Amino acid sequence: ADLRSQSKNFIKWCLVRMENYLQDITDPNSTYSYMDSFKSFQIEHIIPYNFYRNLPEDEQESYKDKINNIGNLTLLEKSLNARLQDEDYTQKREIYAESKSFLTKSMHSHINDGNSLYVTMYSNLNIYEEFDDVQIKNRNRLLTSILLKAVFS
């Protein structure tokens, strides 16, 4: 994901579209849409963006590729994102639990309120105790699968 250009809006649209798909699984009759609050979310880098500056120059490009992979991106409310800065994943994960974003909240824990629709929706997502290169690749595959369902269902 090239987040330095207009594709940033496309990436954000993809993430919001996945949110809508997951929302539809839980409440297909809802009149609320995450698309309505497109501006209230920001793209969050799970593995911090600015850490690349501390790396040797020959490692910076591969790090940028990793951190801009859609598997390393999620949606987060502006107020929560402001609290994170460049914290490590362990600290971010606690704040992710407060998010309204299914994609983000699910990284911390699943909602189990007895509603079978929520159970179905969260069965599509993974909890991540740790987050590194392997999880980025796995989450990339997961999000791509969800996006395809969201767009073509």
Side-chain angles (χ1 to χ4, degrees):
D2 181 2
L3 297 178
R4 296 166 290 187
S5 68
Q6 288 198 352
S7 67
K8 180 177 183 177
N9 285 331
F10 177 70
I11 297 301
K12 189 175 178 183
W13 178 88
C14 290
L15 291 166
V16 170
R17 184 65 191 101
M18 286 182 259
E19 286 292 335
N20 275 345
Y21 172 77
L22 296 170
Q23 177 187 3
D24 287 345
I25 290 174
T26 60
D27 188 2
N29 298 318
S30 175
T31 58
Y32 178 79
S33 169
Y34 279 101
M35 290 295 191
D36 297 335
S37 60
F38 186 79
K39 292 180 180 177
S40 69
F41 287 105
Q42 293 179 322
I43 295 176
E44 155 67 4
H45 290 85
I46 300 165
I47 291 178
Y49 180 80
N50 288 322
F51 280 10
Y52 81 92
R53 293 184 177 134
N54 299 327
L55 296 172
E57 195 171 317
D58 60 331
E59 295 177 28
Q60 288 183 7
E61 278 308 309
S62 65
Y63 186 82
K64 285 181 188 178
D65 288 342
K66 173 174 65 174
I67 60 173
N68 286 327
N69 182 304
I70 198 162
N72 187 52
L73 304 175
T74 197
L75 292 173
L76 195 60
E77 295 83 348
K78 290 177 182 179
S79 60
L80 295 177
N81 203 11
R83 290 174 35 200
L84 289 179
Q85 303 300 320
D86 282 334
E87 298 292 340
D88 65 20
Y89 179 69
T90 305
Q91 292 157 331
K92 286 183 172 192
R93 193 169 174 259
E94 295 304 314
I95 293 183
Y96 290 171
E98 299 174 37
S99 179
K100 292 178 183 166
S101 162
F102 293 126
L103 293 173
T104 305
K105 183 186 285 282
S106 70
M107 295 182 72
H108 181 273
S109 58
H110 290 172
I111 294 173
N112 186 1
D113 67 354
N115 181 333
S116 63
L117 294 173
Y118 274 94
V119 172
T120 301
M121 185 272 295
Y122 275 110
S123 69
N124 287 294
L125 302 171
N126 294 329
I127 295 175
Y128 296 97
E129 299 289 333
E130 300 173 357
F131 204 76
D132 59 21
D133 295 357
V134 172
Q135 282 78 18
I136 289 173
K137 289 176 186 172
N138 291 339
R139 192 165 183 271
N140 184 343
R141 284 192 281 280
L142 175 72
L143 294 183
T144 302
S145 167
I146 293 171
L147 182 60
L148 289 172
K149 292 175 189 174
V151 172
F152 294 109
S153 66

